[in-house]
Amino acid sequence: MSKATFKPFGDDMSPITEVPRLRSRLERYSLVIVGLFISAGFLGANTLVGFDADMSTLIAVGVVFFFSLFAQTLINAHSDMQFRLAESNRVLESRVSERTLDLTRINVQLTDEIHLRQEAERLLRASESRYRTIFENAGTAIMICDHQGQVLLANSQLHDMLGYTAEELRDSNGWMAFMEVGQQARILRWSVENHATGSSPRCFESALQCKNGENKHFYVTMATILGRPEVLVSLVDISELKQAERRLFHQAFHDPLTDLPNRALFMEVLDMTLRRSRRNRECLFSVLYLDIDRFKYVNDSMGHLFGDQLLVRFANAIKTCLRDSDTVARMGGDEFAVLLDNVQGLEYTDVVVERITTMLRKPLDINGHEIFCAVSMGIMADCRAYENADDIIRDADAAMYEAKSAGGDCCKMFEKRMYRRFKRVLELETAMRKALENEEFVLHYQPIVSMKCGGVSSFEALARWQRKGFGLTPPAEFIPVAEETGLILPLGRWVLAKACEQMSLWQKTYPALADCSVCVNLSGRQFKDPDLEEHIMQVLQDTGLSPKSLKLEITENEVMHNPERAIELLGRIRKLGIKIMVDDFGTGYSSLSYLHRFPIDVLKLDRNFVDRLDTSTVPSDRKIVEAIVALAHGLNLEVVAEGVERVAQREFLAKLNCQFAQGFLYYRPMPPEMIREGYLDKSSGKILMPPNTHHPSLISHHP
Ligand SMILES: Nc1nc2c(ncn2[C@@H]2O[C@@H]3COP(=O)(O)O[C@H]4[C@@H](O)[C@H](n5cnc6c(=O)[nH]c(N)nc65)O[C@@H]4COP(=O)(O)O[C@H]3[C@H]2O)c(=O)[nH]1
């Protein structure tokens, strides 16, 4: 801080130098006066002595002159000395004043510095206290270590979290000793390499062993402290987060019901196995694809809870057939996949397949119910040639599908042709789903004729698919696929509704057809549908068709699949007034022992028997037909002979008193428009007989 200096004598004249100058002037005047007094005294003395006046004056002047000169010299010398003294005094004073100023300035600076230093110390103390407070109360464990990991200082949270005291930490081999060995080396290297450079902090996750032996997970941040050979380490306990993460991971990659790996995880493991086998061609591995047979039936009939328990028991049972290194996964629904890893030769695959099939021969106990669980299994014995995991599963699935198509409860080793078939089925399924939405299905009707009078007694509704770009597709091409894929349920419902609607319309338009009925095929899947009965009643109600105008055809095989259930269900349906026909009779299970118990009305003699009636040289072929017709009559059942193409067949059947016939000899299946335009007599509402049947051209229907 500069201060203005007050100068009363101007810059060049200080009060110190001015005083001697005045004094010298007074001295000079006093000497002249003394000289004058001496001269006067001398003049007086001369006069007394008797010197003459002139001489006295001369001596007096001389004395005055001498004294003046002497006085002048003295005065000059004195003045000079005075002046020099004053000058040096002035310089000295000036220096003193300068020094004083300097000292004042320095003093001010020192005072400032002391203030600054005091402020800095205060700030440092505040900062130290702040950082200590943060260090102690940060809510995370913090420690300061040397670059070897030796703990120099740690806050209380760190002690709490790890359980070690300050002494124990100090005496340990550094905090890194608590982490797993592989990580230790990496972290130590980073610490040593970076402690001097002050590089950006390093963050990582680490499991540290606490004093109580527990392994906790921490999010660790390590930061070098600039200018000091120290590292600041902070630990955030993420053990719960890790647990939640593990739970989430588990949920994302495991099936919640069976706790088995799910499809995503299985595909991941399969992919890794495939990649490993590419590096080492010796690594053989196999894949099994399993689907529980008739699981949907169990689910529908026993309830979903029971179905779930079956899946869990099945999953556990499969696990017992495998080694720990094998993987079993639930791929969805009732499908499971097994990865047999590192099989030493493919014999192990056979062994496991055998173990599974043996295991399945024993019943599974579910809530006291003994359930035999059959599976269809696709086997991919050696998967090394594959490019990706998806293709392996695709082919394993195709082999499983083949096993399922073969009736289930069997294993099929994958062959290339299976995939082609599987692909075709998949394509058909997709196309059929769209076809259902776009209403590409139509019904053709084939009249069934009374052999006595040639009248039409009923019409069989037969599904056709007007497939875009493929023309009219026959049911043999799509019904089996619809059965396999379950699409038969929506398709079957549509057929039933459409056929009842058509018959109702015909009856309303042509009263002569009032006693005519429509026959609708029921597939096995439909027959197992628990809502079947309700659906039939709903359709009859919606279309206004009388139950006696509806006949349901079910194949002998389906009836025999679960005879007791068939007896019960068919009985209820029949009570509604609907007639039951057994289709393809004679081709499937021998149901003779059951036949009398079945609540049925009509047997349909299979086309193959009819075909051989006039061509076969084996007499037994005709005997079989005779026996079936006689049996039916004995049980009071009507018989419809299917596939009657030739007159000879008709005549043979007529002799046996077979009541009804269906075949190209009479009519081919036709769209309703063709029946209306070509065969319906508009005035009478009766069906016209085709010319080649040798019956009267206009024939009334026969009830
Ligand atoms: N060679 C020859 N064949 C004759 C003769 N007369 C009739 N047919 C054919 O025999 C089949 C009779 O039907 P199905 O035994 O119930 O056999 C049906 C039935 O099992 C199934 N089907 C057709 N429509 C449906 C449907 O809507 N639902 C279900 N579940 N199955 C259906 O498809 C099978 C085949 O039906 P389509 O191809 O229409 O074949 C029909 C019919 O065209 C003949 O004199 N000679």
Side-chain angles (χ1 to χ4, degrees):
M1 196 188 352
S2 71
K3 287 184 183 169
T5 318
F6 177 63
K7 294 178 180 169
F9 301 98
D11 269 348
D12 51 348
M13 216 183 272
S14 76
I16 303 167
T17 54
E18 197 53 25
V19 171
R21 208 174 281 177
L22 278 174
R23 211 187 308 143
S24 79
R25 244 178 248 161
L26 286 173
E27 282 169 355
R28 202 183 301 162
Y29 295 144
S30 61
L31 273 176
V32 171
I33 292 165
V34 169
L36 281 176
F37 275 114
I38 293 173
S39 300
F42 194 70
L43 212 56
N46 275 351
T47 311
L48 288 173
V49 171
F51 286 129
D52 66 18
D54 289 339
M55 189 61 179
S56 298
T57 307
L58 190 65
I59 291 167
V61 170
V63 169
V64 169
F65 179 73
F66 173 74
F67 263 101
S68 296
L69 201 66
F70 179 66
Q72 189 61 43
T73 308
L74 271 178
I75 287 166
N76 278 352
H78 179 73
S79 294
D80 199 34
M81 260 175 67
Q82 283 273 19
F83 179 74
R84 263 191 260 152
L85 195 67
E87 195 54 35
S88 62
N89 200 17
R90 196 183 62 82
V91 169
L92 192 68
E93 277 183 3
S94 153
R95 281 203 187 140
V96 166
S97 122
E98 267 174 30
R99 285 300 295 157
T100 309
L101 274 175
D102 280 351
L103 282 174
T104 312
R105 205 167 47 241
I106 287 166
N107 195 25
V108 169
Q109 273 175 358
L110 269 176
T111 315
D112 284 354
E113 260 176 41
I114 287 167
H115 279 134
L116 281 174
R117 188 159 294 206
Q118 282 172 342
E119 182 63 10
E121 273 174 17
R122 195 185 61 74
L123 288 174
L124 196 68
R125 273 197 305 278
S127 164
E128 161 74 12
S129 145
R130 203 177 304 127
Y131 281 109
R132 183 155 283 282
T133 313
I134 294 173
F135 188 74
E136 282 301 339
N137 303 290
T140 66
I142 306 175
M143 58 187 156
I144 293 171
C145 312
D146 69 11
H147 61 273
Q148 297 287 354
Q150 206 62 48
V151 182
L152 306 174
L153 184 65
N155 69 0
S156 49
Q157 279 97 329
L158 189 118
H159 298 306
D160 294 347
M161 271 186 199
L162 295 180
Y164 300 105
T165 63
E167 291 71 40
E168 284 168 336
L169 283 177
R170 248 200 321 274
D171 296 344
S172 69
N173 284 335
W175 72 279
M176 293 162 200
F178 306 137
M179 61 174 67
E180 55 105 1
V181 183
Q183 202 176 27
Q184 248 179 54
R186 280 199 308 278
I187 301 304
L188 188 63
R189 196 175 331 119
W190 181 87
S191 180
V192 171
E193 282 170 7
N194 294 284
H195 79 274
T197 57
S199 64
S200 50
R202 172 156 192 197
C203 303
F204 56 94
E205 285 179 16
S206 177
L208 299 182
Q209 193 175 42
C210 304
K211 192 178 172 184
N212 62 6
E214 185 190 353
N215 262 325
K216 279 190 181 172
H217 277 87
F218 292 96
Y219 185 75
V220 184
T221 307
M222 286 176 72
T224 52
I225 300 176
L226 245 186
R228 296 191 63 79
E230 290 170 352
V231 180
L232 180 85
V233 183
S234 72
L235 306 176
V236 179
D237 188 350
I238 53 166
S239 302
E240 283 184 15
L241 208 74
K242 277 271 147 191
Q243 240 170 22
E245 194 180 279
R246 269 197 299 274
R247 265 201 307 275
L248 272 178
F249 177 86
H250 192 85
Q251 278 165 17
F253 289 102
H254 287 80
D255 166 46
L257 179 68
T258 58
D259 206 34
L260 290 181
N262 62 11
R263 176 180 281 271
L265 184 54
F266 186 83
M267 296 310 283
E268 198 67 32
V269 177
L270 184 58
D271 193 51
M272 268 164 44
T273 313
L274 184 62
R275 273 187 276 141
R276 199 195 53 214
S277 87
R278 256 186 239 132
R279 287 194 301 274
N280 178 6
R281 303 303 285 178
E282 299 301 304
C283 272
L284 288 177
F285 66 99
S286 307
V287 170
L288 312 177
Y289 207 90
L290 296 90
D291 183 289
I292 302 178
D293 294 336
R294 291 180 288 281
F295 177 73
K296 196 179 173 312
Y297 175 68
V298 174
N299 234 359
D300 291 346
S301 54
M302 311 286 279
H304 285 242
L305 202 64
F306 191 90
D308 283 355
Q309 284 170 329
L310 173 66
L311 289 173
V312 174
R313 293 282 293 108
F314 177 76
N316 292 338
I318 288 284
K319 277 195 268 184
T320 62
C321 305
L322 308 173
R323 300 173 304 188
D324 286 348
S325 56
D326 300 330
T327 308
V328 54
R330 183 173 173 210
M331 304 297 269
D334 57 350
E335 292 183 4
F336 294 80
V338 176
L339 170 65
L340 304 176
D341 194 9
N342 221 350
V343 293
Q344 306 292 323
L346 296 171
E347 306 80 51
Y348 177 67
T349 310
D350 293 339
V351 169
V352 173
V353 171
E354 186 55 39
R355 258 189 235 149
I356 293 176
T357 35
T358 311
M359 177 272 289
L360 290 173
R361 265 179 230 130
K362 294 183 208 130
L364 298 174
D365 180 17
I366 298 160
N367 292 342
H369 289 84
E370 289 204 326
I371 293 280
F372 283 94
C373 196
V375 296
S376 303
M377 194 191 307
I379 304 170
M380 302 288 298
D382 183 1
C383 308
R384 284 175 300 174
Y386 279 84
E387 283 296 316
N388 61 61
D390 285 336
D391 289 355
I392 298 177
I393 288 300
R394 179 200 64 196
D395 288 351
D397 197 8
M400 183 279 288
Y401 185 79
E402 196 75 12
K404 181 99 18 203
S405 306
D409 198 9
C410 62
C411 315
K412 291 279 175 195
M413 192 78 85
F414 175 73
E415 292 164 28
K416 279 225 163 62
R417 61 158 186 90
M418 292 178 184
Y419 172 62
R420 286 193 290 275
R421 189 177 111 77
F422 185 63
K423 200 165 155 242
R424 213 188 116 255
V425 169
L426 276 185
E427 283 165 3
L428 261 182
E429 183 189 353
T430 316
M432 275 174 73
R433 280 188 198 282
K434 285 195 192 136
L436 268 171
E437 275 170 28
N438 302 338
E439 296 182 4
E440 289 177 23
F441 289 97
V442 290
L443 288 184
H444 283 191
Y445 296 87
Q446 187 177 29
I448 296 174
V449 175
S450 161
M451 292 197 72
K452 271 192 192 145
C453 61
V456 173
S457 72
S458 54
F459 297 87
E460 180 174 2
L462 294 158
R464 303 284 182 267
W465 180 7
Q466 276 179 327
R467 196 174 170 195
K468 274 188 196 129
F470 292 83
L472 205 62
T473 309
E477 282 185 32
F478 62 85
I479 291 284
V481 176
E483 287 259 13
E484 281 172 25
T485 57
L487 277 175
I488 194 71
L489 285 179
L491 179 63
R493 286 181 172 213
W494 176 84
V495 169
L496 182 69
K498 194 75 191 165
C500 291
E501 187 188 304
Q502 182 64 69
M503 197 64 231
S504 175
L505 182 72
W506 275 336
Q507 288 181 340
K508 280 177 196 147
T509 321
Y510 309 107
L513 297 179
D515 293 327
C516 247
S517 52
V518 67
C519 310
V520 176
N521 286 284
L522 275 192
S523 80
R525 283 253 190 155
Q526 280 176 284
F527 194 57
K528 287 172 197 141
D529 180 6
D531 301 330
L532 176 68
E533 213 179 323
E534 197 184 321
H535 178 67
I536 294 170
M537 290 195 288
Q538 188 63 49
V539 167
L540 291 176
Q541 192 182 329
D542 292 349
T543 56
L545 187 73
S546 158
K548 71 176 174 51
S549 300
L550 176 63
K551 287 179 179 153
L552 294 178
E553 289 190 20
I554 173 115
T555 64
E556 188 186 11
N557 280 348
E558 290 308 332
V559 175
M560 283 310 294
H561 190 72
N562 187 346
E564 296 306 329
R565 182 174 178 273
I567 291 167
E568 196 195 317
L569 179 64
L570 293 179
R572 287 205 304 272
I573 293 177
R574 202 156 163 256
K575 271 197 189 135
L576 298 173
I578 298 164
K579 285 198 169 160
I580 307 291
M581 307 169 87
V582 174
D583 205 1
D584 305 338
F585 189 80
T587 56
Y589 287 99
S590 168
S591 54
L592 295 182
S593 57
Y594 272 98
L595 206 54
H596 69 283
R597 288 182 59 204
F598 284 137
I600 54 175
D601 304 277
V602 186
L603 281 190
K604 286 191 90 174
L605 186 61
D606 191 69
R607 198 165 63 225
N608 289 318
F609 295 116
V610 176
D611 192 41
R612 290 199 289 265
L613 280 180
D614 57 339
T615 52
S616 173
T617 49
V618 184
S620 61
D621 282 343
R622 281 180 286 276
K623 290 278 175 218
I624 291 173
V625 174
E626 281 173 28
I628 293 175
V629 175
L631 179 75
H633 287 165
L635 292 170
N636 217 11
L637 302 174
E638 292 174 340
V639 180
V640 177
E642 281 186 314
V644 182
E645 291 182 351
R646 293 177 290 277
V647 176
Q649 294 166 339
R650 186 189 70 189
E651 284 172 357
F652 187 90
L653 290 163
K655 273 190 213 145
L656 294 179
N657 281 331
C658 175
Q659 296 100 321
F660 301 98
Q662 174 184 2
F664 296 167
L665 177 66
Y666 302 95
Y667 304 92
R668 285 184 175 261
M670 296 168 278
E673 310 77 59
M674 190 187 271
I675 294 179
R676 193 185 58 225
E677 298 306 324
Y679 295 94
L680 253 169
D681 180 47
K682 307 280 182 324
S683 55
S684 65
K686 291 173 183 170
I687 308 282
L688 294 172
M689 203 66 189
N692 60 347
T693 53
H694 310 294
H695 275 277
S697 61
L698 188 61
I699 305 168
S700 66
H701 81 274
H702 191 281

